[in-house]
Amino acid sequence: MALDAETRDQLIDTVRRFVTERLRPLEAKVSEDDAMPADVVEEMKALGLFGLSIPEAYGGLELSMEEECLVVLELGRTSPAFRSTFGTNVGIGSQALVMFGNDAQKEKYLPGIASGEIITSFALTEPEAGSDSGAVQTRAVRDGDHYVLNGAKRYITNANKADLFTVMARTDPSKPGGGGVSAFLVERTSPGLSVGKPEKKMGQQGAHVCDVVFDNVRVPVENRIGAEGEGFKVAMQVLDRGRLHISALCVGVAERLIADCVAYASERKQFGQAISQFQLVQGMIADCKTESLAARALTMETARKRDLGMNVTMEGAAAKYFASEMVGRVADKAVQIFGGAGYIAEYGIERFYRDVRIFRIYEGTSQIQQVIISRETLKRGG
């Protein structure tokens, strides 16, 4: 359900001002504290950021994919940890329920997800199942009107804050790959569910990932999403959508870095003139701008195609692959343009350099995107 142009523009302007006036001044503090201020989270809830993709009938904004990407572009202009605070509610933590959940499941959980009262997580990755998502070993054994879950998940975003997990577990061990995997909604308060300490990470301090352990966790049959054995299909469609969200975020971060580079290069003087006057610096800025424009165009075109109901599995993978690699190159050039200052924490460039590295890994590594792109291209005949 697309917004009218005026409402959309008002939303984007509101998010832009929130990023500029509220979030950017807190970037260093959030990184140093490795924590998100509670008042900022409440402001995000009030702005409706936790419900960007949730249907309006359940209290969300129900943005189209194109509109969501435009909003995420604005949120990319600050530390990615801020977006991660509500990102799982908008994307991978809620979309299995939105796309495949039944009415009772939606009525029970989606209003709380939209308001931010319920924080969600997506539990797919395991010690032996990352890029090979079909290698899930967490077991779900049917026992009357419940399933009993046993296993462990790794690197689960927002797990330490999550109230509700979408969990992929193997219900039929006789079927190899994704064929025996099912999806479940598992509440944090379920006996036997435990969450590990947040991992120390390269970047994105303030956003946390943890292990999640299931020890004879009983989950009602009514909390299974879709039919038994459909979990892999659910996961793949959730990730297809999530890749566009991440692509837009990468573009937003790149645009922030380019703006910072232009401002710094215009002020920093060497050999009696601003370094922006040197052609080798101009060349780096030109490369960054060209790649960011290309990533933006691919992302937005693919979002519009998805809104029209077209199959964009290949295009979404291409957007995520290109945008995540692009922002890594932009961050690297930003450090180079800033020179020594780019290596110093005070300027924030080194923080972004670390922050963006994860984009080439989650929602599928760049190598997995290459596999998807080539597979879909061969399938389409070119």
Side-chain angles (χ1 to χ4, degrees):
M1 178 179 172
L3 302 175
D4 63 79
E6 183 179 356
T7 303
R8 182 197 64 196
D9 291 346
Q10 286 177 347
L11 173 62
I12 292 170
D13 183 62
T14 299
V15 173
R16 181 180 298 132
R17 285 188 286 108
F18 180 61
V19 167
T20 302
E21 299 169 10
R22 193 73 178 97
L23 302 186
R24 287 183 61 156
L26 292 171
E27 288 173 351
K29 177 177 173 54
V30 167
S31 179
E32 290 165 10
D33 296 348
D34 192 21
M36 196 61 57
D39 57 341
V40 170
V41 177
E42 291 305 312
E43 290 174 50
M44 290 177 174
K45 292 178 183 178
L47 285 171
L49 295 180
F50 284 83
L52 294 178
S53 62
I54 307 301
E56 202 171 4
Y58 300 101
L61 296 182
E62 199 173 349
L63 299 188
S64 67
M65 194 73 242
E66 180 183 10
E67 291 164 346
E68 183 179 325
C69 285
L70 289 171
V71 171
V72 174
L73 276 164
E74 298 300 329
L75 289 156
R77 296 192 172 98
T78 187
S79 295
F82 289 111
R83 195 270 341 168
S84 189
T85 300
F86 60 86
T88 48
N89 273 42
V90 171
I92 56 176
S94 70
Q95 289 307 298
L97 179 55
V98 170
M99 291 191 279
F100 296 97
N102 58 43
D103 290 342
Q105 292 168 339
K106 291 178 179 180
E107 289 168 8
K108 183 176 181 179
Y109 295 115
L110 285 182
I113 294 172
S115 69
E117 293 175 19
I118 295 175
I119 303 299
T120 62
S121 271
F122 183 69
L124 171 61
T125 301
E126 297 180 0
E128 300 300 324
S131 293
D132 185 6
S133 300
V136 167
Q137 294 302 308
T138 296
R139 286 292 314 278
V141 178
R142 182 76 178 258
D143 180 23
D145 58 358
H146 284 75
Y147 286 89
V148 180
L149 271 62
N150 282 282
K153 299 293 182 176
R154 177 157 288 178
Y155 310 139
I156 306 304
T157 302
N158 283 342
N160 57 328
K161 299 180 179 67
D163 304 292
L164 184 68
F165 296 87
T166 299
V167 181
M168 299 298 152
R170 188 166 296 281
T171 46
D172 188 349
S174 69
K175 291 184 179 178
V181 175
S182 301
F184 299 91
L185 296 167
V186 184
E187 296 180 4
R188 170 67 173 272
T189 55
S190 302
L193 189 157
S194 59
V195 177
K197 293 181 179 179
E199 301 281 358
K200 292 184 178 180
K201 312 190 308 302
M202 176 188 289
Q204 295 203 27
Q205 280 68 41
H208 300 142
V209 299
C210 313
D211 286 356
V212 182
V213 176
F214 303 90
D215 183 9
N216 290 321
V217 176
R218 295 184 67 82
V219 179
V221 171
E222 64 207 41
N223 277 30
R224 189 187 65 222
I225 300 177
E228 195 170 281
E230 289 187 348
F232 188 75
K233 179 184 77 173
V234 169
M236 292 306 100
Q237 291 199 33
V238 168
L239 290 171
D240 270 357
R241 188 186 184 284
R243 286 169 186 143
L244 279 173
H245 180 108
I246 296 301
S247 300
L249 180 62
C250 290
V251 173
V253 174
E255 291 181 353
R256 157 69 185 274
L257 287 169
I258 293 167
D260 286 354
C261 287
V262 168
Y264 183 80
S266 299
E267 294 293 328
R268 173 67 169 163
K269 289 184 170 57
Q270 290 289 283
F271 304 100
Q273 60 182 320
I275 64 172
S276 61
Q277 299 306 305
F278 297 119
Q279 288 185 336
L280 291 177
V281 172
Q282 292 173 356
M284 287 190 283
I285 291 173
D287 286 347
C288 292
K289 188 65 176 178
T290 301
E291 288 202 70
S292 71
L293 286 171
R296 184 181 183 120
L298 176 57
T299 299
M300 299 312 299
E301 178 188 18
T302 304
R304 286 188 286 270
K305 285 182 176 179
R306 189 183 189 281
D307 286 335
L308 291 172
M310 298 172 66
N311 179 354
V312 294
T313 295
M314 186 270 285
E315 291 85 351
K320 196 271 178 179
Y321 174 43
F322 184 75
S324 61
E325 294 285 341
M326 173 277 297
V327 76
R329 291 189 289 268
V330 170
D332 185 71
K333 287 185 172 69
V335 173
Q336 199 69 15
I337 290 169
F338 272 72
Y343 205 72
I344 303 301
E346 177 185 352
Y347 291 83
I349 298 300
E350 61 83 28
R351 184 178 65 245
F352 274 100
Y353 182 81
R354 291 181 287 107
D355 286 347
V356 302
R357 187 58 184 85
I358 189 66
F359 293 148
R360 284 177 268 176
I361 297 173
Y362 61 29
E363 250 82 359
T365 64
S366 290
Q367 288 64 47
I368 289 297
Q369 307 313 317
Q370 289 176 308
V371 170
I372 295 169
I373 295 162
S374 62
R375 182 194 68 209
E376 293 299 313
T377 302
L378 290 166
K379 190 186 298 182
R380 298 182 191 185

